[in-house]
Amino acid sequence: MVYSSVVDCIGQTPVVRLERLFAGTGIEVMAKLEMLNPGGSAKDRPAKYIIQEGLRSGLIHAGTHLIESTSGNLGIALAMVARAHQLPLTCVVDPKISGTNLEIMRRLGAKIDMVTELDEQGGYLNTRVARVKWLEQQVPGGLWLNQYANENNWLAHYHHTGKEMAEQVSGKIDYLFVAVSTTGTIRGLSRRLKETHPDLKVVAIDAAGSVIFGTPPGPRWIPGIGASRVPELFHPESIDEVVLVNDLEAMEGCMALLEHEGILAGGSSGSVVAGIQKCLPRIPEGSRIVTLLPDRGERYMDSVYDLEWQERIRELSRGRTLA
Ligand SMILES: Cc1ncc(COP(=O)(O)O)c(C=O)c1O
């Protein structure tokens, strides 16, 4: 099979049974490796779908300048897809961005707009949103893609990731575990899989310190998972249960994936592993779980896989109440 662009290589990711990590539990855990997308994460899906649907509907055209507030996987995925379509892209980022992600976005041709002023809550979220809105007005053809509110974010997972999962996993599925941030992935997968598995229980894995489910805000260091505001896409009916995972547990989940399965994954994959492990005592034997490993570990060498960083997280955890 020869594809006509890197964008066409997005999707058709494999599903693997994590049978070494969950050996002896009597529970089958299957993980879709979204980390194997060409941009390195599940965010390739919404990036491709948002841009292609925009081009199809005429919302995006040759004169459009794409704008998004993102410092991570979506920025990289958008930069890749935008480049393949020869569309200009500006990513609004803040000083907390990892040097690796910044370099990847730059190399892929994205313009970087760095905000440096803290907002009234001491973070950068509101400053970034204000900047994006300003750029949308000022830049000719400016269009804010807004992953937190864009329906094509969750629809990408409904039409593609979820459809593939339903086809790849034959037989019953009892549980779906998904790490959340914009909640696009969980909403799309839940909607799609419940069509064929109506008794499916959908468990959201959120970061301790994230506010999506009404828990108090707090410091959190694992990128990709959690949010400091409730996304417009949040659809509580798609979710049956929530499990909070803290930074230490997520890091240990990553190490367990590495040790038992040889999978070098990003922080939110560790959160998912830790979340499943927390729930195991109340999951009946013979159950079948599906999950998704959102991104690769290479971008976390100066965080999750850095020994000094790990030690700092352990120290912080000793001084703070664990979720
Ligand atoms: C590594 C990683 N895990 C999980 C998520 C959560 O996905 P969603 O935004 O669809 O809820 C993201 C989203 O940015 C991510 O980058």
Side-chain angles (χ1 to χ4, degrees):
M1 181 77 185
V2 176
Y3 296 93
S4 66
S5 84
V6 73
V7 178
D8 292 339
C9 305
I10 294 171
Q12 298 303 331
T13 51
V15 175
V16 295
R17 200 173 285 117
L18 303 180
E19 58 189 28
R20 286 143 293 268
L21 183 51
F22 292 98
T25 60
I27 292 161
E28 193 181 353
V29 180
M30 291 162 279
K32 191 159 170 65
L33 302 187
E34 283 301 292
M35 58 203 303
L36 295 183
N37 277 305
S41 84
K43 286 290 177 186
D44 284 12
R45 308 273 194 168
K48 174 181 176 178
Y49 195 76
I50 287 170
I51 292 181
Q52 291 194 337
E53 282 301 296
L55 287 166
R56 200 184 51 77
S57 70
L59 178 69
I60 298 174
H61 46 80
T64 303
H65 187 126
L66 307 173
I67 300 167
E68 183 57 303
S69 166
T70 167
S71 46
N73 288 325
L74 185 71
I76 292 169
L78 282 174
M80 178 181 74
V81 180
R83 179 89 333 190
H85 287 283
Q86 294 295 302
L87 289 162
L89 166 72
T90 295
C91 292
V92 176
V93 305
D94 65 50
K96 280 161 67 181
I97 188 170
S98 91
T100 308
N101 286 359
L102 187 68
E103 254 340 278
I104 298 173
M105 284 185 221
R106 271 210 183 109
R107 302 285 160 124
L108 281 166
K111 292 191 177 61
I112 304 295
D113 193 293
M114 173 89 70
V115 302
T116 50
E117 240 173 76
L118 290 167
D119 61 26
E120 57 288 350
Q121 289 162 6
Y124 292 103
L125 182 76
N126 296 336
T127 323
R128 288 210 302 193
V129 170
R131 180 73 182 164
V132 160
K133 288 183 173 162
W134 184 84
L135 283 171
E136 198 182 27
Q137 297 307 314
Q138 299 301 314
V139 174
L143 178 71
W144 178 22
L145 299 176
N146 196 0
Q147 59 169 329
Y148 285 88
N150 194 318
E151 295 286 313
N152 284 334
N153 175 356
W154 76 267
L155 283 168
H157 294 292
Y158 173 79
H159 288 300
H160 297 284
T161 331
K163 179 172 179 283
E164 287 171 27
M165 231 181 203
E167 288 165 358
Q168 285 167 304
V169 180
S170 54
K172 69 164 189 162
I173 305 176
D174 301 296
Y175 293 86
L176 167 71
F177 281 75
V178 188
V180 293
S181 179
T182 66
T183 68
T185 313
I186 199 165
R187 184 168 171 185
L189 293 185
S190 170
R191 172 77 76 91
R192 183 63 186 79
L193 291 182
K194 282 195 178 197
E195 285 173 4
T196 42
H197 302 80
D199 296 328
L200 178 77
K201 281 183 207 61
V202 177
V203 184
I205 307 292
D206 197 8
S210 160
V211 305
I212 302 174
F213 296 95
T215 43
R220 46 192 176 86
W221 302 99
I222 301 274
I225 182 170
S228 39
R229 69 179 180 90
V230 180
E232 287 85 346
L233 289 184
F234 178 50
H235 184 251
E237 296 78 11
S238 309
I239 298 165
D240 299 301
E241 252 184 72
V242 183
V243 175
L244 293 182
V245 170
N246 64 42
D247 295 328
L248 180 65
E249 293 164 332
M251 179 186 100
E252 287 172 348
C254 283
M255 299 314 282
L257 255 181
L258 198 52
E259 188 183 333
H260 296 281
E261 300 288 346
I263 297 176
L264 180 71
S268 67
S269 299
S271 305
V272 166
V273 166
I276 296 173
Q277 283 170 334
K278 277 188 176 187
C279 295
L280 281 184
R282 57 191 168 81
I283 293 182
E285 251 187 59
S287 294
R288 300 182 85 216
I289 297 175
V290 293
T291 188
L292 178 149
L293 302 184
D295 70 350
R296 293 202 279 262
E298 284 91 331
R299 292 172 194 158
Y300 300 81
M301 285 303 158
D302 49 6
S303 56
V304 177
Y305 295 104
D306 177 71
L307 294 181
E308 275 178 30
W309 189 92
Q310 292 187 348
E311 196 42 46
R312 267 204 315 279
I313 293 296
R314 285 194 195 95
E315 289 291 323
L316 280 170
S317 302
R318 283 184 206 116
R320 106 157 102 100
T321 320
L322 296 185

Short mmCIF file of all heavy atoms in Angstrom, two decimals, residues 117-152:
data_model
loop_
_atom_site.label_atom_id
_atom_site.label_comp_id
_atom_site.label_asym_id
_atom_site.label_seq_id
_atom_site.Cartn_x
_atom_site.Cartn_y
_atom_site.Cartn_z
N GLU A 117 2.51 36.88 29.85
CA GLU A 117 1.83 37.50 31.00
C GLU A 117 0.93 36.50 31.70
O GLU A 117 0.13 35.82 31.06
CB GLU A 117 0.94 38.64 30.49
CG GLU A 117 1.29 39.99 31.05
CD GLU A 117 0.49 41.06 30.35
OE1 GLU A 117 -0.71 41.16 30.67
OE2 GLU A 117 1.06 41.74 29.47
N LEU A 118 1.02 36.43 33.03
CA LEU A 118 0.15 35.54 33.80
C LEU A 118 -1.26 36.13 33.85
O LEU A 118 -1.42 37.36 33.84
CB LEU A 118 0.68 35.38 35.22
CG LEU A 118 1.99 34.58 35.36
CD1 LEU A 118 2.58 34.76 36.75
CD2 LEU A 118 1.75 33.10 35.08
N ASP A 119 -2.27 35.27 33.89
CA ASP A 119 -3.64 35.78 34.02
C ASP A 119 -3.99 35.99 35.50
O ASP A 119 -3.17 35.73 36.39
CB ASP A 119 -4.64 34.88 33.28
CG ASP A 119 -4.68 33.46 33.82
OD1 ASP A 119 -4.36 33.28 35.00
OD2 ASP A 119 -5.02 32.54 33.05
N GLU A 120 -5.24 36.40 35.76
CA GLU A 120 -5.65 36.73 37.14
C GLU A 120 -5.64 35.49 38.05
O GLU A 120 -5.57 35.62 39.28
CB GLU A 120 -7.01 37.44 37.15
CG GLU A 120 -8.18 36.72 36.50
CD GLU A 120 -8.13 36.67 34.96
OE1 GLU A 120 -7.28 37.34 34.32
OE2 GLU A 120 -8.94 35.92 34.40
N GLN A 121 -5.63 34.28 37.45
CA GLN A 121 -5.57 33.06 38.27
C GLN A 121 -4.14 32.55 38.46
O GLN A 121 -3.91 31.48 39.00
CB GLN A 121 -6.41 31.95 37.62
CG GLN A 121 -7.89 32.23 37.71
CD GLN A 121 -8.70 31.40 36.71
OE1 GLN A 121 -8.18 30.53 36.01
NE2 GLN A 121 -9.97 31.69 36.63
N GLY A 122 -3.18 33.29 37.94
CA GLY A 122 -1.78 32.89 38.11
C GLY A 122 -1.32 31.89 37.07
O GLY A 122 -0.22 31.34 37.16
N GLY A 123 -2.16 31.62 36.05
CA GLY A 123 -1.76 30.70 34.97
C GLY A 123 -1.70 31.46 33.66
O GLY A 123 -1.70 32.70 33.63
N TYR A 124 -1.69 30.73 32.55
CA TYR A 124 -1.60 31.38 31.24
C TYR A 124 -2.85 31.15 30.39
O TYR A 124 -2.94 31.68 29.29
CB TYR A 124 -0.38 30.85 30.47
CG TYR A 124 0.94 31.26 31.08
CD1 TYR A 124 1.68 30.35 31.83
CD2 TYR A 124 1.46 32.55 30.90
CE1 TYR A 124 2.90 30.72 32.38
CE2 TYR A 124 2.66 32.92 31.45
CZ TYR A 124 3.38 32.00 32.19
OH TYR A 124 4.58 32.36 32.74
N LEU A 125 -3.78 30.33 30.91
CA LEU A 125 -4.92 29.92 30.09
C LEU A 125 -5.68 31.11 29.50
O LEU A 125 -5.91 31.20 28.29
CB LEU A 125 -5.85 29.04 30.92
CG LEU A 125 -7.06 28.50 30.17
CD1 LEU A 125 -6.64 27.35 29.26
CD2 LEU A 125 -8.13 28.01 31.14
N ASN A 126 -6.09 32.04 30.38
CA ASN A 126 -6.89 33.17 29.90
C ASN A 126 -6.09 34.10 29.01
O ASN A 126 -6.62 34.67 28.05
CB ASN A 126 -7.49 33.93 31.08
CG ASN A 126 -8.47 33.06 31.85
OD1 ASN A 126 -9.01 32.12 31.29
ND2 ASN A 126 -8.66 33.35 33.13
N THR A 127 -4.81 34.27 29.31
CA THR A 127 -3.96 35.11 28.45
C THR A 127 -3.87 34.50 27.06
O THR A 127 -3.90 35.21 26.05
CB THR A 127 -2.52 35.21 29.03
OG1 THR A 127 -2.59 35.25 30.44
CG2 THR A 127 -1.79 36.41 28.51
N ARG A 128 -3.76 33.18 27.01
CA ARG A 128 -3.65 32.51 25.70
C ARG A 128 -4.94 32.65 24.90
O ARG A 128 -4.91 32.92 23.70
CB ARG A 128 -3.33 31.02 25.89
CG ARG A 128 -1.93 30.78 26.37
CD ARG A 128 -1.37 29.47 25.91
NE ARG A 128 -2.17 28.32 26.32
CZ ARG A 128 -1.73 27.08 26.25
NH1 ARG A 128 -0.53 26.83 25.81
NH2 ARG A 128 -2.49 26.08 26.63
N VAL A 129 -6.08 32.48 25.60
CA VAL A 129 -7.36 32.60 24.89
C VAL A 129 -7.53 34.03 24.36
O VAL A 129 -7.94 34.24 23.21
CB VAL A 129 -8.53 32.18 25.81
CG1 VAL A 129 -9.88 32.53 25.18
CG2 VAL A 129 -8.46 30.68 26.09
N ALA A 130 -7.18 35.01 25.19
CA ALA A 130 -7.31 36.42 24.76
C ALA A 130 -6.42 36.67 23.54
O ALA A 130 -6.83 37.34 22.58
CB ALA A 130 -6.92 37.35 25.91
N ARG A 131 -5.23 36.10 23.56
CA ARG A 131 -4.30 36.29 22.45
C ARG A 131 -4.83 35.64 21.16
O ARG A 131 -4.74 36.23 20.07
CB ARG A 131 -2.94 35.68 22.84
CG ARG A 131 -1.88 35.81 21.79
CD ARG A 131 -1.37 37.23 21.68
NE ARG A 131 -0.38 37.35 20.62
CZ ARG A 131 0.02 38.48 20.09
NH1 ARG A 131 -0.48 39.63 20.53
NH2 ARG A 131 0.92 38.50 19.14
N VAL A 132 -5.38 34.45 21.29
CA VAL A 132 -5.93 33.74 20.14
C VAL A 132 -7.06 34.57 19.52
O VAL A 132 -7.14 34.72 18.29
CB VAL A 132 -6.44 32.35 20.57
CG1 VAL A 132 -7.43 31.80 19.58
CG2 VAL A 132 -5.28 31.39 20.73
N LYS A 133 -7.95 35.11 20.38
CA LYS A 133 -9.07 35.90 19.87
C LYS A 133 -8.57 37.15 19.15
O LYS A 133 -9.10 37.56 18.13
CB LYS A 133 -10.02 36.28 21.02
CG LYS A 133 -10.80 35.08 21.52
CD LYS A 133 -11.78 35.48 22.60
CE LYS A 133 -12.66 34.29 22.96
NZ LYS A 133 -13.33 34.49 24.26
N TRP A 134 -7.53 37.76 19.71
CA TRP A 134 -6.95 38.96 19.10
C TRP A 134 -6.35 38.61 17.73
O TRP A 134 -6.60 39.29 16.74
CB TRP A 134 -5.88 39.54 20.04
CG TRP A 134 -5.29 40.82 19.56
CD1 TRP A 134 -5.79 42.08 19.73
CD2 TRP A 134 -4.07 40.97 18.80
NE1 TRP A 134 -4.97 43.00 19.14
CE2 TRP A 134 -3.91 42.35 18.55
CE3 TRP A 134 -3.11 40.08 18.31
CZ2 TRP A 134 -2.82 42.87 17.84
CZ3 TRP A 134 -2.03 40.59 17.60
CH2 TRP A 134 -1.89 41.96 17.36
N LEU A 135 -5.57 37.50 17.70
CA LEU A 135 -4.95 37.09 16.43
C LEU A 135 -6.00 36.78 15.37
O LEU A 135 -5.82 37.09 14.19
CB LEU A 135 -4.08 35.83 16.65
CG LEU A 135 -2.72 36.03 17.30
CD1 LEU A 135 -2.10 34.68 17.65
CD2 LEU A 135 -1.78 36.82 16.39
N GLU A 136 -7.09 36.15 15.82
CA GLU A 136 -8.14 35.78 14.86
C GLU A 136 -8.68 37.03 14.14
O GLU A 136 -9.01 36.98 12.96
CB GLU A 136 -9.27 35.02 15.56
CG GLU A 136 -10.14 34.25 14.58
CD GLU A 136 -11.30 33.52 15.25
OE1 GLU A 136 -11.76 33.96 16.32
OE2 GLU A 136 -11.75 32.53 14.68
N GLN A 137 -8.74 38.15 14.88
CA GLN A 137 -9.20 39.41 14.29
C GLN A 137 -8.13 40.07 13.42
O GLN A 137 -8.42 40.65 12.38
CB GLN A 137 -9.60 40.41 15.38
CG GLN A 137 -10.77 39.98 16.26
CD GLN A 137 -11.99 39.60 15.44
OE1 GLN A 137 -12.37 40.33 14.52
NE2 GLN A 137 -12.60 38.45 15.75
N GLN A 138 -6.86 39.98 13.88
CA GLN A 138 -5.78 40.74 13.24
C GLN A 138 -5.16 40.06 12.01
O GLN A 138 -4.75 40.73 11.08
CB GLN A 138 -4.65 41.02 14.25
CG GLN A 138 -5.08 41.85 15.45
CD GLN A 138 -5.63 43.20 15.04
OE1 GLN A 138 -5.04 43.88 14.21
NE2 GLN A 138 -6.77 43.58 15.61
N VAL A 139 -5.04 38.71 12.08
CA VAL A 139 -4.33 37.99 11.00
C VAL A 139 -5.30 37.80 9.82
O VAL A 139 -6.40 37.27 10.02
CB VAL A 139 -3.85 36.61 11.51
CG1 VAL A 139 -3.24 35.79 10.39
CG2 VAL A 139 -2.86 36.80 12.64
N PRO A 140 -4.92 38.18 8.62
CA PRO A 140 -5.81 37.98 7.47
C PRO A 140 -6.17 36.49 7.32
O PRO A 140 -5.28 35.64 7.35
CB PRO A 140 -4.98 38.47 6.28
CG PRO A 140 -3.93 39.36 6.87
CD PRO A 140 -3.65 38.85 8.26
N GLY A 141 -7.45 36.20 7.22
CA GLY A 141 -7.90 34.81 7.07
C GLY A 141 -7.82 34.01 8.36
O GLY A 141 -7.94 32.77 8.33
N GLY A 142 -7.62 34.69 9.50
CA GLY A 142 -7.44 33.99 10.78
C GLY A 142 -8.65 33.14 11.18
O GLY A 142 -9.78 33.60 11.09
N LEU A 143 -8.39 31.91 11.60
CA LEU A 143 -9.47 31.02 12.03
C LEU A 143 -9.00 30.21 13.24
O LEU A 143 -8.06 29.42 13.16
CB LEU A 143 -9.86 30.05 10.90
CG LEU A 143 -10.94 29.03 11.25
CD1 LEU A 143 -12.32 29.69 11.40
CD2 LEU A 143 -11.02 27.92 10.19
N TRP A 144 -9.68 30.44 14.38
CA TRP A 144 -9.34 29.71 15.63
C TRP A 144 -10.04 28.35 15.59
O TRP A 144 -11.27 28.30 15.46
CB TRP A 144 -9.82 30.54 16.83
CG TRP A 144 -9.61 29.91 18.16
CD1 TRP A 144 -8.72 28.94 18.49
CD2 TRP A 144 -10.32 30.23 19.38
NE1 TRP A 144 -8.80 28.63 19.82
CE2 TRP A 144 -9.78 29.40 20.39
CE3 TRP A 144 -11.33 31.13 19.70
CZ2 TRP A 144 -10.23 29.45 21.71
CZ3 TRP A 144 -11.78 31.18 21.01
CH2 TRP A 144 -11.23 30.35 22.00
N LEU A 145 -9.27 27.27 15.70
CA LEU A 145 -9.86 25.93 15.59
C LEU A 145 -10.53 25.49 16.90
O LEU A 145 -11.45 24.68 16.88
CB LEU A 145 -8.79 24.92 15.16
CG LEU A 145 -8.17 25.23 13.78
CD1 LEU A 145 -7.06 24.25 13.46
CD2 LEU A 145 -9.23 25.20 12.67
N ASN A 146 -10.05 25.98 18.01
CA ASN A 146 -10.67 25.79 19.34
C ASN A 146 -11.02 24.34 19.66
O ASN A 146 -12.19 23.95 19.71
CB ASN A 146 -11.92 26.69 19.44
CG ASN A 146 -12.36 26.82 20.89
OD1 ASN A 146 -11.74 26.26 21.79
ND2 ASN A 146 -13.42 27.57 21.11
N GLN A 147 -10.00 23.56 19.97
CA GLN A 147 -10.18 22.13 20.24
C GLN A 147 -11.13 21.84 21.40
O GLN A 147 -11.74 20.77 21.45
CB GLN A 147 -8.83 21.47 20.51
CG GLN A 147 -8.05 22.05 21.68
CD GLN A 147 -6.84 21.19 22.07
OE1 GLN A 147 -6.85 19.97 21.91
NE2 GLN A 147 -5.79 21.82 22.55
N TYR A 148 -11.28 22.76 22.33
CA TYR A 148 -12.15 22.52 23.50
C TYR A 148 -13.64 22.60 23.15
O TYR A 148 -14.49 22.14 23.90
CB TYR A 148 -11.83 23.50 24.63
CG TYR A 148 -10.55 23.13 25.34
CD1 TYR A 148 -9.31 23.61 24.88
CD2 TYR A 148 -10.55 22.28 26.43
CE1 TYR A 148 -8.13 23.24 25.50
CE2 TYR A 148 -9.38 21.90 27.05
CZ TYR A 148 -8.17 22.38 26.59
OH TYR A 148 -7.01 22.00 27.19
N ALA A 149 -13.95 23.23 22.02
CA ALA A 149 -15.36 23.44 21.67
C ALA A 149 -15.70 22.89 20.28
O ALA A 149 -16.86 22.89 19.90
CB ALA A 149 -15.68 24.93 21.73
N ASN A 150 -14.70 22.45 19.54
CA ASN A 150 -14.93 22.07 18.14
C ASN A 150 -15.55 20.67 18.05
O ASN A 150 -14.94 19.67 18.43
CB ASN A 150 -13.57 22.10 17.40
CG ASN A 150 -13.73 22.06 15.91
OD1 ASN A 150 -14.55 21.31 15.39
ND2 ASN A 150 -12.95 22.87 15.21
N GLU A 151 -16.77 20.60 17.53
CA GLU A 151 -17.50 19.31 17.44
C GLU A 151 -16.70 18.28 16.63
O GLU A 151 -16.83 17.08 16.85
CB GLU A 151 -18.87 19.52 16.78
CG GLU A 151 -19.82 20.38 17.59
CD GLU A 151 -20.40 19.66 18.81
OE1 GLU A 151 -20.84 18.51 18.66
OE2 GLU A 151 -20.38 20.26 19.90
N ASN A 152 -15.91 18.76 15.67
CA ASN A 152 -15.15 17.82 14.85
C ASN A 152 -14.02 17.15 15.62
O ASN A 152 -13.44 16.17 15.14
CB ASN A 152 -14.61 18.51 13.59
CG ASN A 152 -15.72 18.71 12.57
OD1 ASN A 152 -16.69 17.96 12.56
ND2 ASN A 152 -15.59 19.73 11.74
#
